[in-house]
Amino acid sequence: VKVYNIMCKLYEGGTLSKAFSSKYKFSFKQKLDIASDLLEGLSAIHAKGLVHRDLTSRNVLLDLSKKGKRKNRMISAVIADFGRVKHIDTANGAKVQFNSRYLAPEGIIAEKLSGEDYFATDLFALGCILHKLHFEKSGPWVD
């Protein structure tokens, strides 16, 4: 029996989804920091030819500094939950998003997707997350 251990930094801020549900008010700088971290993370994933396929606010971990006033605290974000990650060469026909709120229109018929089309579906999901982060409400496409 093989046993695998994964060690990583503890993100005490919880998930972005938890912050949304608790109505946490991010400062504009904090929103920019989160957006920058997520864009860098997704860029790194895509640079390796991988597609996340399950980008949602619950798969974003936050680390909020305890120092300073609430609006001036340093914040960082990382993409988590790589259980649905696939290489674009092997992703053909694979379902795109588990959560329909983050599903790109072109991802509805997964059989028609191939190769780099999957990158666009990740970008759409990230756009949904950033929309909610900036406007503090879900987009008009969510019922």
Side-chain angles (χ1 to χ4, degrees):
V1 175
K2 288 185 179 185
V3 177
Y4 296 95
N5 292 317
I6 297 175
M7 307 286 276
C8 69
K9 178 180 174 180
L10 175 63
Y11 286 85
E12 295 186 52
T15 65
L16 188 56
S17 176
K18 181 180 170 188
F20 288 158
S21 65
S22 68
K23 307 238 187 276
Y24 185 89
K25 295 287 185 190
F26 296 104
S27 69
F28 185 69
K29 173 148 180 14
Q30 289 173 331
K31 290 177 182 181
L32 288 177
D33 289 342
I34 292 169
S36 176
D37 288 347
L38 295 179
L39 287 166
E40 283 180 36
L42 190 59
S43 177
I45 292 168
H46 287 179
K48 295 178 190 270
L50 302 173
V51 61
H52 191 278
R53 298 187 328 128
D54 193 20
L55 261 175
T56 64
S57 57
R58 75 174 190 285
N59 290 335
V60 173
L61 301 178
L62 299 176
D63 190 25
L64 187 61
S65 170
K66 303 257 187 224
K67 297 179 183 175
K69 293 183 179 179
R70 186 174 186 184
K71 295 290 183 180
N72 296 329
R73 292 180 183 167
M74 296 293 294
I75 195 165
S76 62
V78 293
I79 298 172
D81 190 1
F82 291 88
R84 296 179 52 86
V85 170
K86 282 193 177 274
H87 195 276
I88 59 167
D89 295 339
T90 61
N92 289 349
K95 281 191 158 189
V96 185
Q97 287 294 121
F98 180 72
N99 188 329
S100 61
R101 290 181 176 211
Y102 299 89
L103 178 61
E106 62 270 21
I108 294 171
I109 304 173
E111 297 80 31
K112 292 190 176 186
L113 293 176
S114 64
E116 294 189 4
D117 294 341
Y118 283 92
F119 292 147
T121 62
D122 272 356
L123 285 174
F124 182 89
L126 182 59
C128 293
I129 294 168
L130 297 179
H131 180 278
K132 184 157 187 176
L133 178 66
H134 180 70
F135 293 106
E136 299 175 358
K137 63 181 179 179
S138 295
W141 57 90
V142 178
D143 46 21

